[in-house]
Amino acid sequence: MNSAREDITHPESVKEINLTIPMIPDMEIAAGKTAEAVAEVMNLDEDKTAEVSMALIEACLNSFEHSHSEDRKVYITFRVEDSELTIILRDKGSGFDPESVEKPDLERMLRPGIRKRGWGLKLMESMMDSLTIESGPGGTVVTMKKKR
Amino acid sequence: MNSAREDITHPESVKEINLTIPMIPDMEIAAGKTAEAVAEVMNLDEDKTAEVSMALIEACLNSFEHSHSEDRKVYITFRVEDSELTIILRDKGSGFDPESVEKPDLERMLRPGIRKRGWGLKLMESMMDSLTIESGPGGTVVTMKKKR
Amino acid sequence: MLDSFTVDTRREGPVWVFSTHGYINNVGGETIAKRFEEAHADGGSKYLFDLGDSKIINSIGVSFLIEILERILETNGTMAFCNCAPIIEKTFKIMGIMQYATIYPTVKEALAGMREAV
Amino acid sequence: MLDSFTVDTRREGPVWVFSTHGYINNVGGETIAKRFEEAHADGGSKYLFDLGDSKIINSIGVSFLIEILERILETNGTMAFCNCAPIIEKTFKIMGIMQYATIYPTVKEALAGMREAV
Ligand SMILES: Nc1ncnc2c1ncn2[C@@H]1O[C@H](COP(=O)(O)OP(=O)(O)O)[C@@H](O)[C@H]1O
Ligand SMILES: Nc1ncnc2c1ncn2[C@@H]1O[C@H](COP(=O)(O)OP(=O)(O)O)[C@@H](O)[C@H]1O
């Protein structure tokens, strides 16, 4: 019958997808959808797929909103391995000190006049199996992993 | 109330999304989904969104199957403009001569022993408003445009 | 198409029902907050948010829901959600919203539960 | 999850009905062709492909459908499709498949139409 696709084998090492998005409203959705597709292709279940997508959306929004990067771009790498998906997100912004970010506390927040924001990092951390942030004057690198 | 996002304005020129995918089965779906997300963000309607996604999937499959590129990667740029979406896809394969590709003909194909393949370029052309291919020994560049 | 965000508001007996459509981001959150304030000004203390047609929420959208929760608790009101996508329910759990608001599977069950509650 | 592709086959009177689930690519196309050949060997000349649960098709998948169409035409049989996503219907139109096969909105309408036809 028809010939199947030729030559689609590959070394494990090339299972890397790169995505660069501009810091434009709703573009985080494009990143989230790409994450979904990558997660689907590696057969993550629906819940994990949605969690990965949301974590990446939050990471993008942080860069959009807080990085003050001049090139207004977010650089994302998806690394697919047998056991896990690693997402590395970079911005060339002014950076921040993750240690000095206050943990959000809903009870405290429910008092009048207290800012309700500050959930992004907490959500990213909870949605993923690991989250590490390296940040400095050259920008921020967020590395997130999700086990299969 | 809550502060909205800061500083998300941008020059028109930065509305470019870059995606690099490895030539691995189903990865074309990741490209298609990113195309969908980009089309959605620029408010293309559902039909056009699906058409753009399918055209890109076909372009990816061609590179996967026919390019024989050594780096086994497809480089995609989405350029979002007010009036249209441009998708530029590159592979570093061995190239081909688009002029010498025979147009598919269903009637002829329905005869026994005739190969049923050869619909990719035709579908890409029909799904998009324009399709141009530059190809040579350094690889192939496919440029596709969809009007809003 | 990334639908523009909308909210439908209606009253079911003692309960204000808000049905959201689309991505609950800064724009979505602000729209919900506006609709809530209109209803709140009109009187009432029970508020149900039907999120069945919102597949995604982000942390900025969530911050508007906390703002609303604060306003509701101020007047000893009740906040509830229904038809939440698993990812939205997970978000609420992570934040601890379930200590202050109930999540029901459907509008019907929510209305039944909320009518009973004092 | 990118569901693994499956086809359900059943017989409705004179019509073989194939319901596909998932992406109709090389793997999907090959699976459909196998199921078709099994049915074809079993006798029958009317074949309905319900694509309602296949949101995407690619040109390789499509080539298997042409292979099947050739086999059906060989024996003066009938090929029909139903529940096609707009993009799949558009694909068939571009290729000219509609000259040889009918597209029905639903299984019900397809079965009615195909039973009548000689
Ligand atoms: N990419 C980044 N660049 C600079 N600062 C950041 C970045 N990501 C996070 N931050 C800092 O960390 C803080 C906490 O972020 P987050 O938990 O997402 O909450 P929120 O964005 O609502 O403030 C931000 O307010 C910001 O100061
Ligand atoms: N990126 C590419 N690199 C090399 N050759 C290509 C590429 N894209 C298309 N071709 C050539 O053009 C032909 C027609 O492609 P297409 O219309 O998609 O049909 P098919 O892939 O089914 O053969 C292919 O068979 C191949 O020879």
Side-chain angles (χ1 to χ4, degrees):
Chain A
M1 258 187 129
N2 296 271
S3 69
R5 290 188 217 157
E6 313 149 15
D7 195 9
I8 38 182
T9 52
H10 57 276
E12 178 71 25
S13 61
V14 295
K15 283 196 178 179
E16 224 172 74
I17 296 102
N18 288 301
L19 176 70
T20 307
I21 57 168
M23 297 180 173
I24 300 178
D26 295 337
M27 264 305 150
E28 74 277 12
I29 295 292
K33 279 234 183 181
T34 306
E36 265 177 40
V38 172
E40 280 170 9
V41 166
M42 67 179 283
N43 281 312
L44 290 192
D45 69 29
E46 258 181 64
D47 283 352
K48 287 185 183 176
T49 298
E51 286 156 22
V52 164
S53 173
M54 179 155 187
L56 179 56
I57 286 173
E58 290 298 328
C60 289
L61 288 172
N62 272 346
S63 294
F64 288 16
E65 192 175 22
H66 305 300
S67 73
H68 301 289
S69 85
E70 270 180 35
D71 73 355
R72 309 303 297 151
K73 282 186 182 169
V74 178
Y75 303 86
I76 302 161
T77 298
F78 302 89
R79 190 171 292 154
V80 178
E81 284 165 292
D82 288 340
S83 61
E84 62 188 6
L85 170 62
T86 305
I87 302 181
I88 303 158
L89 174 145
R90 294 180 184 79
D91 66 52
K92 298 181 183 161
S94 47
F96 72 111
D97 175 13
E99 298 295 312
S100 70
V101 173
E102 224 183 308
K103 297 264 173 286
D105 173 354
L106 184 59
E107 195 180 334
R108 203 183 140 268
M109 250 180 217
L110 283 168
R111 291 185 218 145
I114 307 285
R115 193 169 170 271
K116 314 304 183 200
R117 297 285 307 277
W119 291 99
L121 295 173
K122 165 91 178 169
L123 288 172
M124 286 154 64
E125 196 174 45
S126 309
M127 298 287 175
M128 302 298 281
D129 290 310
S130 82
L131 168 71
T132 55
I133 298 175
E134 294 158 84
S135 193
T140 299
V141 182
V142 175
T143 305
M144 305 187 281
K145 287 175 187 281
K146 189 78 169 178
K147 295 214 175 70
R148 197 185 283 278
Chain B
M1 256 188 134
N2 297 272
S3 69
R5 293 187 215 158
E6 314 149 14
D7 195 9
I8 38 184
T9 52
H10 57 277
E12 177 73 23
S13 60
V14 296
K15 281 196 180 181
E16 224 172 74
I17 295 102
N18 288 301
L19 176 70
T20 307
I21 57 167
M23 297 180 173
I24 300 178
D26 296 337
M27 263 307 149
E28 73 277 11
I29 295 291
K33 278 232 181 181
T34 306
E36 265 177 42
V38 171
E40 281 169 9
V41 166
M42 67 181 282
N43 282 312
L44 290 192
D45 69 29
E46 258 181 62
D47 283 351
K48 287 186 182 176
T49 298
E51 286 156 21
V52 164
S53 174
M54 179 155 187
L56 179 56
I57 285 173
E58 290 299 328
C60 289
L61 288 172
N62 273 347
S63 295
F64 287 17
E65 192 175 21
H66 305 300
S67 72
H68 302 288
S69 85
E70 270 180 34
D71 72 354
R72 308 304 296 149
K73 282 185 183 171
V74 178
Y75 304 85
I76 303 161
T77 298
F78 302 90
R79 191 170 292 152
V80 178
E81 284 165 293
D82 288 341
S83 61
E84 64 188 4
L85 169 63
T86 305
I87 301 181
I88 303 158
L89 175 144
R90 292 180 184 82
D91 66 51
K92 298 182 183 161
S94 47
F96 72 112
D97 175 13
E99 297 297 311
S100 70
V101 173
E102 224 183 309
K103 296 264 175 286
D105 172 356
L106 184 60
E107 197 181 332
R108 203 182 141 269
M109 251 180 216
L110 284 169
R111 289 183 222 146
I114 307 284
R115 191 168 172 275
K116 315 304 182 201
R117 297 286 307 276
W119 291 99
L121 295 173
K122 166 91 179 167
L123 288 171
M124 284 154 64
E125 197 175 44
S126 309
M127 299 285 175
M128 302 298 283
D129 290 308
S130 83
L131 169 71
T132 56
I133 298 175
E134 295 159 83
S135 192
T140 299
V141 181
V142 176
T143 305
M144 306 187 280
K145 287 175 187 280
K146 189 79 169 177
K147 295 214 175 71
R148 196 186 284 278
Chain C
M1 215 172 89
L2 200 67
D3 303 316
S4 50
F5 186 89
T6 57
V7 184
D8 301 324
T9 311
R10 67 179 196 279
R11 202 161 174 151
E12 296 269 0
V15 182
W16 281 104
V17 183
F18 305 90
S19 304
T20 64
H21 308 282
Y23 179 24
I24 307 181
N25 57 6
N26 51 331
V27 178
E30 205 161 346
T31 309
I32 299 173
K34 253 189 224 147
R35 291 293 96 75
F36 162 78
E37 287 298 341
E38 289 161 12
H40 197 60
D42 229 44
S45 66
K46 296 181 177 191
Y47 303 91
L48 171 63
F49 296 83
D50 174 1
L51 307 185
D53 199 30
S54 286
K55 262 131 218 93
I56 350 179
I57 193 167
N58 70 27
S59 64
I60 312 182
V62 145
S63 68
F64 284 93
L65 298 181
I66 301 177
E67 195 84 32
I68 292 170
L69 176 58
E70 183 200 318
R71 300 274 289 132
I72 292 176
L73 295 180
E74 260 172 27
T75 50
N76 292 310
T78 312
M79 185 180 209
F81 297 94
C82 68
N83 287 321
C84 296
I87 189 72
I88 294 186
E89 191 162 333
K90 173 146 188 165
T91 300
F92 289 169
K93 271 191 191 140
I94 292 168
M95 300 173 62
I97 287 192
M98 258 107 137
Q99 275 189 270
Y100 303 94
T102 311
I103 298 192
Y104 294 95
T106 62
V107 172
K108 210 177 144 186
E109 285 161 275
L111 290 178
M114 293 174 83
R115 278 200 186 107
E116 267 169 38
V118 191
Chain D
M1 215 171 88
L2 199 66
D3 301 317
S4 48
F5 186 88
T6 58
V7 183
D8 301 323
T9 311
R10 67 179 195 278
R11 203 162 172 150
E12 296 267 0
V15 183
W16 281 104
V17 183
F18 304 90
S19 304
T20 64
H21 308 283
Y23 179 24
I24 307 181
N25 57 5
N26 51 333
V27 177
E30 205 162 345
T31 308
I32 299 173
K34 254 188 222 150
R35 291 295 96 75
F36 163 77
E37 286 301 340
E38 289 162 10
H40 197 60
D42 228 45
S45 67
K46 297 181 178 191
Y47 303 90
L48 171 62
F49 296 83
D50 173 2
L51 307 185
D53 199 30
S54 287
K55 261 130 219 97
I56 348 178
I57 193 166
N58 71 27
S59 64
I60 311 181
V62 145
S63 69
F64 283 92
L65 297 180
I66 302 176
E67 195 82 31
I68 292 169
L69 178 57
E70 183 201 318
R71 301 274 289 134
I72 293 175
L73 295 180
E74 259 171 28
T75 51
N76 292 312
T78 312
M79 186 180 205
F81 297 94
C82 68
N83 287 323
C84 297
I87 189 73
I88 294 186
E89 191 161 334
K90 174 148 187 163
T91 300
F92 290 169
K93 271 191 193 142
I94 291 167
M95 300 173 60
I97 287 193
M98 257 106 138
Q99 275 189 268
Y100 303 94
T102 311
I103 298 192
Y104 295 96
T106 62
V107 172
K108 209 177 147 186
E109 284 160 277
L111 290 177
M114 293 174 83
R115 280 199 184 106
E116 266 167 42
V118 190

